[in-house]
């Protein structure tokens, strides 16, 4: 059954609390109807409560459609889900005597039936928690895939005063990104922790500057013995988190040390930073910054280069993909096609190594210009698709730092019965040389990191290195 947040749902919970017998598992016929998942069509309806039925639907959807579903040990998913369930009950300051993990045999359907029976027995005893046990259980099942392109999108919150283009948080960006702290990125974080960009909001009001070294976050060291600590994650709160963050700072240019408390909130972002494609001339070089591989973005890059090329001879192109959040693999392949024809830009493979190829679009006109690409740990997904193709196909040189390694494969979306969306890859991404990029990233040909001294002085060494390479 699907429970909605209405008066009827409240009545059902009250009735459940009055009963001592657990809800029996559903019939095999109803199971078949609940486990099918399909691609979303049109606008989603209002989100309803997450139930055991929704968890079951997601479980079998993953096993039937995830790229390694045929070989996946489903017991790992159920174990992770059960752990989250018991932790949620414990977090509420209680426990249930029957909350014991059922014996699992490896038979996917039999294991689900055993899991469901125990789940229902447990949750029938804590009806006041409503759908929270189901939510944490499903979140844990998806997280157990360990896949950076697997997500369950639900309960999306937007600040009430949010305006299109607003940012949320402390208003700063540091040299260690949020993706490096959530385990989805492979790049090693290097000390010291320092501000690279002041975006607005609390950081701007407190007069922080690029290059300011963050010596402590909420009293904790950001690095211990050279390893990044979880304290850094507090720099990147997401709504509705609004707990103030205390930073101890050092401004190396003056030697000043001080402590400031920043409260997360909304802040307007610079419209220039919201543009997907921006361009300018650097001497006789076309410099193009691209923040994402969204629809038609490759055409916008090519048009920008064409305009800069009008009436002059260019020495080359610097394509700045630092902080590029990825997007469409089709757009990545199309942009590669401006530099080479007749090549494979990537492989998308099943778990048994049956691979589809992404080939260049040879209708795209070749630029016939030398290329340097700027990359860093913020270059993810389709950005890494493009960067790996540049490297493997010898189309240009990569400058900066290693990419994130967040390119499991193009995610496909599936609609669940409560109008939430489950997404994960049905194929695994490999580079043109059939190498694994996921978790590893793409290394630069020229390692050029940003330092606190560079940030404080307003220097950007990566474009300078690119111009040197193009003018050799």
């Amino acid at each position: 059954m699907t429970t909605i947040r209405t008066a009827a749902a409240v009545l059902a919970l009250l009735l459940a609390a009055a009963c001592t017998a657990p809800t029996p598992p559903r019939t095999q016929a109803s199971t078949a109807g609940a486990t099918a998942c399909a691609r979303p069509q049109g606008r989603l309806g209002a989100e309803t409560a997450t139930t055991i039925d929704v968890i079951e639907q997601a479980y079998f959807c993953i096993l039937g459609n995830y790229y390694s579903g045929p070989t996946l040990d489903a017991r790992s998913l159920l174990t992770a889900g059960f752990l989250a369930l018991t932790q949620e009950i414990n977090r509420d300051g209680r426990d249930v005597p029957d909350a014991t993990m059922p014996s699992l045999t490896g038979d996917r359907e039999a294991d689900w039936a055993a899991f469901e029976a125990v789940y229902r027995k447990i949750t029938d005893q804590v009806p006041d928690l409503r759908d929270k046990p189901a939510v944490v259980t499903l979140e844990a099942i998806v997280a157990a895939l360990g896949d950076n392109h697997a997500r369950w999108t639900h309960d999306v919150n937007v600040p009430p005063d949010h305006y299109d283009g607003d940012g949320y948080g402390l208003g700063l960006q540091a040299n260690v990104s949020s993706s490096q702290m959530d385990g989805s990125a492979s790049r090693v974080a290097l000390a010291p922790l320092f501000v690279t960009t002041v975006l607005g909001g609390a950081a701007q009001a407190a007069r922080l500057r690029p290059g300011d070294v963050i010596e402590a976050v909420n009293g904790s060291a950001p690095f211990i013995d050279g390893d990044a600590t979880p304290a850094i994650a507090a720099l990147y709160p997401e709504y509705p988190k609004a707990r103030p963050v205390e930073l101890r700072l050092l401004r190396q240019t003056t030697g000043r040390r001080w402590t400031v408390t920043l409260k997360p909130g909304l802040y307007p972002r610079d419209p220039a930073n919201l543009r997907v494609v921006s361009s300018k001339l650097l001497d006789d070089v076309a410099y193009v910054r691209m923040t994402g591989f969204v629809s038609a973005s490759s055409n916008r890059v090519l048009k920008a280069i064409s305009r800069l090329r009008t009436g002059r001879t260019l020495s080359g192109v610097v394509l700045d993909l630092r902080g590029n959040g990825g997007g469409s693999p089709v757009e990545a392949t199309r942009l590669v096609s401006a530099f080479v024809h007749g090549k494979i830009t990537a492989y998308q493979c099943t778990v048994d190594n049956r691979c589809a190829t992404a080939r260049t679009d040879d209708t795209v006109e070749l630029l016939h210009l030398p290329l340097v690409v700027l990359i860093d740990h913020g270059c993810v997904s389709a950005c890494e698709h493009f960067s790996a193709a540049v490297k493997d196909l010898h189309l240009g040189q990569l400058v900066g730092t290693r990419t994130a390694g967040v390119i499991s494969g193009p995610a496909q979306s599936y609609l669940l019965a409560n109008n939430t969306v489950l997404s994960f890859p049905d194929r695994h991404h490999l580079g043109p040389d059939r190498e694994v990029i996921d978790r590893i990233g793409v290394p630069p040909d020229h390692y050029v990191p940003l330092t606190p001294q560079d940030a404080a002085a307003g220097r950007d060494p990566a474009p300078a290195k690119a111009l040197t390479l193009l003018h050799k």
Side-chain angles (χ1 to χ4, degrees):
M1 86 185 156
T2 300
T3 308
I4 59 177
R5 294 186 178 95
T6 61
V10 175
L11 178 61
L13 288 173
L14 292 174
L15 290 173
C19 299
T20 56
T23 306
R26 292 168 294 102
T27 65
Q28 188 67 32
S30 61
T31 299
T35 55
C37 60
R39 304 289 174 84
Q41 299 290 332
R43 192 170 183 175
L44 299 182
E47 181 176 336
T48 58
T50 303
T51 66
I52 184 63
D53 297 346
V54 175
I55 300 173
E56 178 183 21
Q57 184 185 19
Y59 170 78
F60 284 103
C61 184
I62 289 169
L63 296 182
N65 297 282
Y66 184 54
Y67 84 89
S68 67
T71 61
L72 183 65
D73 187 345
R75 290 173 292 186
S76 64
L77 305 184
L78 297 179
T79 300
F82 197 85
L83 172 60
L85 169 64
T86 57
Q87 287 178 332
E88 182 60 30
I89 296 171
N90 292 161
R91 188 175 292 111
D92 194 53
R94 58 181 134 176
D95 209 338
V96 174
D98 298 322
T100 302
M101 183 72 188
S103 175
L104 303 179
T105 65
D107 181 314
R108 295 176 171 190
E109 294 190 6
D111 286 346
W112 172 257
F115 178 91
E116 180 184 6
V118 175
Y119 178 96
R120 289 180 179 275
K121 191 174 184 180
I122 294 169
T123 55
D124 279 348
Q125 298 177 60
V126 287
D128 55 303
L129 293 183
R130 299 177 180 269
D131 69 342
K132 186 61 176 175
V135 169
V136 298
T137 299
L138 184 46
E139 287 175 337
I141 286 174
V142 176
L145 292 172
D147 191 303
N148 49 58
H149 276 56
R151 289 177 179 79
W152 177 41
T153 304
H154 67 102
D155 196 24
V156 178
N157 291 306
V158 177
D161 298 326
H162 179 268
Y163 184 75
D164 187 29
D166 280 351
Y168 183 86
L170 303 183
L172 63 84
Q173 180 68 45
N175 60 311
V176 181
S177 69
S178 57
S179 64
Q180 287 175 271
M181 302 315 301
D182 67 14
S184 65
S186 62
R187 179 180 177 272
V188 173
L190 299 177
L193 179 67
F194 64 94
V195 177
T196 58
T197 309
V198 176
L199 302 170
Q204 186 177 60
R207 298 184 179 180
L208 269 62
R209 299 178 187 171
D212 287 345
V213 175
I214 302 171
E215 296 186 320
V217 181
N218 290 328
S220 299
F223 287 88
I224 296 178
D225 295 330
D227 294 328
T229 69
I232 300 175
L235 296 181
Y236 304 107
E238 296 182 356
Y239 183 80
K241 294 180 181 177
R243 181 177 297 177
V245 179
E246 182 186 87
L247 304 180
R248 188 172 74 239
L249 299 158
L250 165 65
R251 184 162 292 164
Q252 293 180 323
T253 54
T254 63
R256 177 193 176 198
R257 275 191 168 87
W258 77 105
T259 299
V260 66
T261 299
L262 306 180
K263 185 177 180 180
L266 287 170
Y267 58 88
R269 290 186 290 182
D270 184 345
N273 294 331
L274 297 176
R275 297 175 62 184
V276 175
V277 175
S278 55
S279 61
K280 62 183 178 181
L281 274 175
L282 293 178
D283 297 331
D284 57 350
V285 171
Y287 169 89
V288 183
R289 179 167 179 79
M290 183 186 193
T291 62
F293 283 86
V294 300
S295 177
S297 57
S298 59
N299 284 345
R300 291 159 71 179
V301 170
L302 299 179
K303 286 180 180 178
I305 295 171
S306 176
R307 288 177 181 176
L308 293 174
R309 201 175 193 177
T310 300
R312 61 179 60 87
T313 300
L314 295 178
S315 295
V317 174
V318 173
L319 185 58
D320 191 344
L321 299 184
R322 293 174 296 176
N324 186 295
S328 167
V330 173
E331 291 294 322
T333 293
R334 185 168 175 79
L335 190 54
V336 172
S337 305
F339 297 93
V340 71
H341 286 172
K343 298 292 184 179
I344 292 173
T345 69
Y347 294 89
Q348 308 294 342
C349 303
T350 62
V351 70
D352 57 354
N353 207 34
R354 290 180 290 110
C355 299
T357 57
R359 296 182 178 274
T360 53
D361 180 350
D362 294 350
T363 66
V364 177
E365 185 177 353
L366 290 171
L367 288 173
H368 298 294
L369 286 171
L371 173 67
V372 175
V373 181
L374 308 186
I375 58 173
D376 68 355
H377 61 274
C379 172
V380 304
S381 194
C383 180
E384 297 182 272
H385 178 159
F386 178 84
S387 301
V390 170
K391 191 175 190 71
D392 289 356
L393 302 176
H394 309 289
L395 306 182
Q397 300 184 72
L398 305 180
V399 171
T401 59
R402 184 180 290 265
T403 66
V406 181
I407 185 168
S408 170
Q412 306 297 330
S413 296
Y414 301 90
L415 181 64
L416 299 181
N418 65 337
N419 290 318
T420 60
V421 175
L422 183 64
S423 57
F424 48 78
D426 60 1
R427 300 253 176 165
H428 190 55
H429 183 97
L430 298 178
D433 288 343
R434 291 185 178 267
E435 78 276 22
V436 173
I437 304 169
D438 191 39
R439 303 180 186 274
I440 296 170
V442 181
D445 299 303
H446 302 273
Y447 180 67
V448 183
L450 184 72
T451 68
Q453 293 76 20
D454 290 328
R459 293 190 301 264
D460 193 348
K465 178 63 175 180
L467 292 178
T468 299
L469 293 170
L470 289 172
H471 288 146
K472 276 187 176 180

